């Protein structure tokens, strides 16, 4: 069984948004980091709160996990993938994001 985490680049995420695709972005950073700006359509679920907030994450769609550099979101991906979710990790995280933030 492959536990490899699928990845997506910030550019690819931007492309999906530009095309008007319905994508689920989940930002797992801490509150103070998100306060400095997140991708407008991203939902904020702190990494530490994912286990108790699983019901907010739809199992029928794929989710793109985001953090500052891509490391915490990778942990989130590992956890969610184990739990049966379809996830991708945005490599490079918000440090590499060049699109809109709010």
């Amino acid at each position: 069984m492959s536990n490899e985490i699928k990845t997506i680049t910030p550019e690819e995420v931007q492309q999906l948004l530009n095309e008007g695709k319905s994508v689920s972005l989940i930002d797992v950073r801490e509150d103070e980091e998100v306060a400095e700006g997140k991708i407008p359509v991203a939902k904020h679920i702190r990494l530490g709160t994912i286990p108790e907030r699983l019901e907010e994450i739809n199992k029928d769609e794929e989710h793109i996990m985001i953090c500052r550099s891509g490391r915490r979101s990778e942990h989130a991906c590992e956890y969610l993938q184990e739990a049966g979710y379809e996830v991708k990790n945005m490599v490079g995280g918000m440090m590499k994001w060049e699109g809109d933030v709010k």
Side-chain angles (χ1 to χ4, degrees), residues 75-94:
H75 290 304
C77 284
E78 285 165 3
Y79 177 83
L80 287 166
Q81 197 162 290
E82 288 282 292
Y85 288 82
E86 277 294 312
V87 287
K88 279 186 182 159
N89 186 25
M90 188 175 92
V91 289
M94 291 301 287

Side-chain angles (χ1 to χ4, degrees), residues 27 29-39 44 68 72 94-95 97 99-102:
D27 193 319
R29 295 175 299 160
E30 295 301 312
D31 296 347
E32 59 274 12
E33 295 175 280
V34 168
E36 291 169 18
K38 71 173 180 68
I39 300 169
H44 179 217
R68 190 181 67 90
R72 278 172 291 174
M94 291 301 287
M95 296 194 310
W97 178 255
D100 291 342
V101 293
K102 70 162 187 175

Side-chain angles (χ1 to χ4, degrees), residues 25-71:
L25 306 179
I26 300 178
D27 193 319
V28 300
R29 295 175 299 160
E30 295 301 312
D31 296 347
E32 59 274 12
E33 295 175 280
V34 168
E36 291 169 18
K38 71 173 180 68
I39 300 169
V41 296
K43 182 180 179 90
H44 179 217
I45 302 182
R46 287 198 330 276
L47 181 57
T49 65
I50 285 177
E52 70 248 30
R53 293 181 65 184
L54 279 180
E55 73 285 349
E56 294 176 48
I57 305 172
N58 183 349
K59 243 187 179 149
D60 300 328
E61 56 178 338
E62 185 179 71
H63 305 280
I64 297 168
M65 310 306 288
I66 299 164
C67 71
R68 190 181 67 90
S69 67
R71 187 160 295 137

